[in-house]
């Protein structure tokens, strides 16, 4: 099958195209925005601070303090985004502006179609060797049919779109994560579901998942800067699609207060993950309010903000006029003074996602004392070979982003072409371990279908590669009839031996 061609070979290691233009005299960690006093308002971003019952925005949090930045970046930075035809005349000042990024995000089928018409060459390789070609119209039709069948809406930032090799988009590891091609999709395994981790069943109040005894997952919003095809929360995240009506999590004060009340009244809770959606889509005031509220709770010892932003829109960390990063830094510092730990958990999946912009954003967070950890998802044709995964881990470590988890792809609908057999993750860990310092080595885990939580991939009770069935137990995860429960993970059907798959 076409999708199997992605598993190995040089196409997985595509790098951004050769870059000619350079940036000169770009201020360090700051987009060149003319008026730093004009912070990104809710109308520009489309996400109000809160929605009251009448839909009006409201906030009682004071405006953030903008930190001056004076250090200068080295000159001659590659303006790689100019390789994309629609942005060939975009300056560094604009590209590094988060306001510009939001305004130029490709969202929805109409904008996607127009963008692809402008950037895809007249012909693109159909196979890996390039001996067969397909027309632009054929490629775009394949994408649009894939979008119609997908569970996730389309939203991609200019940054992540600029990291694509548009001369060979069909075999690009970034395209494979965010744009579905109908010809690559496979029939779902019969065990795939929209909510494979049973998050809704483990939610005592809407938008708060309480699975582990001392940790809960708070989902203040269901919006992300970029939507992943393989999203584990495809039941709720993003706009409705042709195939899925989403259980949307709007940022309302009432819903948030219900979550806070549950956290405060559950003494066993010590650790909160603030995710979504994506905490990048919290306004700075919202992020401050959530952070300060959690700091004030005696039972909470640590919390993390989860965001793919560093991988798909790193300019926001550098854009001092926006205020989001200042809010994160302030919360981190206040937590430290209160004796509590705060971290940012981000999500890189391939080395091509890393550029000088993301490196500078990571360096800024490092200098400001913000702990950053990365969670990668193992994806077929993206990072399922040793060379790619090892490079990603090392590149992250070199940029002060601690590799934390590598997840086996969840058993969610419409991602069969991206899932790998369990044997793949076992082999990757075995071959990479020992090649980098242990404290920079991620844990290779399976987030158990049915709500068993994360377990080391190698800790299975049984695994039969012929049937593709692996079993796990999670003794520490109790409640909701989970005591002594055996959890099952299934390999993709097309990877099974023929006699087992029939």
């Amino acid at each position: 099958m076409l999708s199997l061609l992605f598993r190995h070979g040089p196409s997985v290691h595509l790098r951004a195209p050769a870059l000619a233009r350079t940036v000169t005299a770009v201020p360090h960690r700051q987009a060149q925005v003319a008026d730093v006093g004009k912070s990104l308002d809710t109308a520009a971003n489309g996400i109000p601070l809160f929605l009251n019952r009448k839909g009006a925005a409201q906030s009682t949090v004071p405006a953030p303090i903008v930190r001056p930045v004076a250090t200068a970046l080295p000159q001659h930075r590659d303006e790689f985004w100019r390789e994309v035809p629609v942005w060939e005349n975009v300056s560094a000042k604009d590209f590094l502006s988060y306001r510009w990024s939001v305004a130029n995000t490709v969202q929805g089928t109409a904008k996607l179609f127009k963008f692809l018409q402008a950037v895809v060459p007249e012909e693109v390789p159909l196979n890996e060797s390039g001996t067969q070609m397909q027309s632009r119209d054929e490629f775009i039709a394949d994408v649009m049919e894939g979008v119609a069948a997908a569970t996730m809406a389309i939203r991609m930032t200019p940054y992540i779109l600029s990291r694509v090799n548009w001369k060979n988009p069909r075999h690009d590891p970034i395209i494979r994560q965010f744009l579905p091609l109908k010809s690559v999709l496979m029939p779902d395994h019969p065990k795939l579901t929209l909510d494979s981790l049973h998050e809704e069943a483990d939610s005592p109040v809407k938008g708060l998942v309480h699975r582990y005894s001392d940790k809960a997952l708070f989902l203040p919003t269901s919006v992300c800067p970029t939507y992943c095809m393989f999203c584990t929360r495809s039941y709720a995240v993003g706009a409705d699609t042709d195939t899925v009506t989403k259980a949307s999590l709007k940022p309302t004060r009432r819903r948030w207060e219900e979550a806070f009340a549950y956290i405060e009244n559950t003494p066993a809770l010590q650790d909160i993950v603030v995710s979504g959606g994506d905490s990048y889509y919290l306004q700075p005031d919202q992020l401050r309010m959530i952070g300060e509220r959690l700091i004030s709770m005696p039972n909470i010892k640590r919390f993390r903000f989860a965001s793919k932003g560093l991988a798909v829109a790193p300019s926001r960390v550098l854009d001092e006029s926006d205020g989001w990063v200042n809010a994160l830094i302030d919360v981190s510092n206040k937590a430290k003074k209160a004796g509590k730990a705060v971290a940012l958990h981000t999500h890189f999946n391939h080395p091509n996602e890393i550029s000088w912009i993301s490196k500078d954003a990571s360096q800024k967070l490092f200098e400001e004392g913000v702990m950053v950890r990365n969670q990668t998802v193992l994806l077929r044709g993206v990072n399922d070979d040793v060379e790619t995964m090892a490079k990603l881990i090392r590149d992250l470590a070199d940029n002060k982003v601690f590799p934390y988890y590598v997840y086996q792809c969840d058993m969610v609908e419409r991602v069969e072409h991206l899932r790998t057999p369990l044997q793949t993750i076992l082999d990757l860990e075995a071959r990479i371990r020992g090649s980098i310092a242990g404290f920079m080595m991620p844990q290779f885990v399976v987030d158990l279908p049915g709500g068993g939580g994360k377990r080391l991939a190698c800790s299975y009770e049984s695994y039969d590669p012929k049937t593709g069935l692996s079993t796990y137990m999670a003794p520490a995860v109790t409640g909701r009839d989970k005591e002594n429960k055996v959890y099952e993970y299934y390999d993709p059907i097309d990877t099974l031996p023929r006699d087992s798959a029939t």
Side-chain angles (χ1 to χ4, degrees):
M1 291 186 182
L2 235 177
S3 62
L4 293 180
L5 297 176
F6 290 92
R7 295 196 64 189
H8 302 287
S11 65
V12 175
H13 313 294
L14 289 173
R15 300 184 184 280
L19 308 169
R21 296 181 176 87
T22 59
V23 179
T24 57
V26 180
H28 188 27
R29 310 179 199 102
Q30 178 177 352
Q32 294 177 321
V33 180
D35 183 0
V36 297
K38 295 180 180 179
S39 59
L40 204 109
D41 57 26
T42 57
N45 202 7
I47 306 295
L49 301 186
F50 289 104
L51 297 178
N52 61 24
R53 291 186 178 182
K54 296 182 179 180
Q58 56 180 346
S59 173
T60 57
V61 186
I65 299 173
V66 177
R67 293 179 173 80
V69 175
T71 314
L73 277 172
Q75 296 183 356
H76 309 299
R77 296 283 186 153
D78 292 328
E79 292 184 314
F80 53 83
W81 59 89
R82 291 184 184 262
E83 297 297 321
V84 183
V86 294
W87 297 320
E88 61 184 351
N89 295 318
V90 173
S91 67
K93 171 185 175 180
D94 286 338
F95 193 78
L96 294 177
S97 161
Y98 185 64
R99 183 189 293 272
W100 183 91
S101 177
V102 170
N104 289 276
T105 290
V106 174
Q107 178 176 346
T109 55
K111 287 187 177 180
L112 174 64
F113 182 83
K114 183 178 179 181
F115 178 84
L116 293 177
Q117 286 278 4
V119 303
V120 177
E122 291 185 6
E123 287 191 327
V124 295
L126 179 62
N127 57 0
E128 284 188 291
S129 64
T131 57
Q132 294 179 302
M133 305 293 286
Q134 70 174 162
S135 69
R136 175 198 295 129
D137 290 345
E138 290 171 333
F139 173 77
I140 294 176
D142 198 359
V143 171
M144 302 311 290
E145 289 178 14
V147 170
T151 60
M152 295 300 295
I154 295 300
R155 173 178 279 162
M156 297 180 71
T157 61
Y159 176 84
I160 202 64
L161 287 166
S162 71
R163 304 304 295 167
V164 171
N165 177 6
W166 288 105
K167 295 178 181 178
N168 190 6
R170 174 175 284 274
H171 304 110
D172 185 88
I174 293 175
I175 287 293
R176 190 160 169 82
Q177 298 178 61
F178 304 112
L179 283 187
L181 276 68
K182 183 64 183 298
S183 62
V184 175
L185 298 179
M186 294 180 177
D188 281 347
H189 190 290
K191 295 291 186 177
L192 300 191
T193 62
L194 277 179
D195 183 10
S196 69
L197 304 183
H198 290 194
E199 289 187 340
E200 288 189 297
D202 285 335
S203 297
V205 298
K206 187 173 182 179
L208 186 77
V209 182
H210 188 186
R211 176 175 299 133
Y212 304 96
S213 59
D214 71 337
K215 184 178 76 174
L217 170 67
F218 176 38
L219 308 174
T221 181
S222 54
V223 182
C224 302
T226 290
Y227 294 133
C228 307
M229 286 178 55
F230 49 90
C231 181
T232 193
R233 216 154 283 131
S234 56
Y235 68 89
V237 169
D240 293 346
T241 68
D242 291 348
T243 60
V244 181
T245 299
K246 303 301 176 84
S248 180
L249 299 169
K250 295 182 179 180
T252 63
R253 169 79 73 170
R254 180 177 179 179
R255 185 175 69 79
W256 286 20
E257 287 299 333
E258 289 175 351
F260 291 144
Y262 180 87
I263 295 170
E264 287 176 317
N265 293 317
T266 308
L269 282 177
Q270 296 186 344
D271 191 336
I272 303 297
V273 179
V274 183
S275 184
D278 194 304
S279 61
Y280 230 47
Y281 255 78
L282 295 173
Q283 290 296 300
D285 291 349
Q286 293 176 316
L287 190 143
R288 264 195 179 84
M289 188 276 284
I290 291 172
E292 292 174 358
R293 188 70 175 268
L294 292 173
I295 291 170
S296 71
M297 298 181 189
N299 55 317
I300 299 305
K301 307 301 181 186
R302 56 201 155 267
F303 56 94
R304 327 89 178 264
F305 291 100
S307 173
K308 196 173 174 66
L310 193 60
V312 300
S315 63
R316 188 173 201 185
V317 174
L318 303 175
D319 188 347
E320 292 286 341
S321 72
D322 170 68
W324 188 91
V325 71
N326 290 335
L328 177 66
I329 293 168
D330 288 346
V331 168
S332 176
N333 290 336
K334 288 180 180 179
K336 289 174 185 175
K337 291 180 180 178
K340 303 186 178 187
V342 172
L344 174 68
H345 282 197
T346 193
H347 179 190
F348 287 87
N349 284 331
H350 194 278
N352 288 5
E353 298 163 19
I354 300 173
S355 74
W356 63 266
I357 302 176
S358 49
K359 290 178 181 179
D360 288 345
S362 299
Q363 177 65 21
K364 171 168 185 172
L365 293 169
F366 179 70
E367 290 181 15
E368 294 286 359
V370 177
M371 167 65 73
V372 183
R373 304 186 187 101
N374 186 73
Q375 301 182 160
T376 291
V377 177
L378 177 61
L379 300 168
R380 191 188 333 187
V382 174
N383 54 20
D384 60 335
D385 63 280
V386 172
E387 182 179 349
T388 302
M389 184 62 76
K391 177 172 173 51
L392 175 63
I393 292 170
R394 186 166 293 278
D395 286 355
L396 290 168
D398 289 348
N399 285 288
K400 285 73 68 180
V401 176
F402 285 79
Y404 181 34
Y405 281 136
V406 173
Y407 284 95
Q408 182 77 353
C409 187
D410 289 332
M411 294 181 60
V412 292
E413 294 179 13
R414 309 307 287 154
V415 300
E416 188 77 351
H417 64 297
L418 292 174
R419 296 199 306 123
T420 66
L422 183 71
Q423 192 62 53
T424 301
I425 197 170
L426 299 175
D427 292 344
L428 285 173
E429 179 178 15
R431 295 184 62 185
I432 295 173
R433 187 169 293 283
S435 67
I436 193 168
F439 62 87
M440 286 297 186
M441 182 69 180
Q443 297 186 64
F444 289 72
V445 300
V446 179
D447 208 346
L448 299 180
K454 290 174 280 291
R455 305 295 291 179
L456 292 176
C458 61
S459 68
Y460 54 81
E461 298 290 323
S462 65
Y463 176 43
D464 184 351
K466 292 183 179 180
T467 64
L469 174 62
S470 52
T471 62
Y472 293 83
M473 295 191 73
V477 179
T478 59
R480 204 168 60 80
D481 300 323
K482 294 183 180 182
E483 289 82 355
N484 300 316
K485 182 175 179 177
V486 176
Y487 298 89
E488 298 178 339
Y489 186 90
Y490 292 84
D491 288 350
I493 292 176
D494 72 294
T495 66
L496 302 179
R498 291 199 176 190
D499 57 343
S500 300
T502 56

